[in-house]
């Protein structure tokens, strides 16, 4: 049986992160810097092979995952 490797990536920056506010389950979008961070993560992770990209349904996490995939991570989004 093949071993399982997991890579965890935190969502990019949001306005709440920037101001030091806790967001919890409040659905806050990424800010421009957070989108740039997610794109950079996608470029960095594009050299790796992934079977699946998983994300929560919060918009900041889902958008981070979308941008990582756009950066070259060729794996289905779940």
């Amino acid at each position: 049986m093949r071993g399982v490797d997991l890579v965890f990536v935190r969502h990019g920056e949001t306005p709440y992160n920037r101001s030091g506010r806790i967001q919890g389950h409040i659905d806050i979008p990424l800010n421009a810097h957070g989108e740039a961070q997610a794109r950079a993560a996608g470029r960095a992770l594009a050299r790796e092979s992934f079977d699946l990209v998983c994300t929560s349904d919060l918009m900041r996490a889902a958008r981070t995952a979308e941008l990582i995939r756009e950066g070259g991570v060729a794996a289905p989004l779940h």
Side-chain angles (χ1 to χ4, degrees):
M1 177 186 271
R2 187 180 106 175
V4 176
D5 294 322
L6 298 174
V7 175
F8 290 92
V9 177
R10 187 174 187 270
H11 62 78
E13 185 181 84
T14 69
Y16 272 33
N17 295 136
R18 187 62 148 174
S19 66
R21 294 175 67 188
I22 295 173
Q23 52 205 344
H25 287 283
I26 299 170
D27 210 6
I28 305 297
L30 298 177
N31 61 21
H33 183 66
E35 291 212 356
Q37 289 172 322
R39 285 186 184 94
R43 289 190 300 274
L45 293 170
R47 296 183 288 265
E48 305 297 328
S49 176
F50 294 94
D51 295 323
L52 184 65
V53 174
C54 296
T55 182
S56 82
D57 59 353
L58 292 173
M59 72 174 81
R60 62 186 175 266
R63 182 68 176 142
T64 297
E66 289 171 5
L67 292 169
I68 285 172
R69 290 182 67 238
E70 287 176 15
V73 173
L77 180 61
H78 179 72

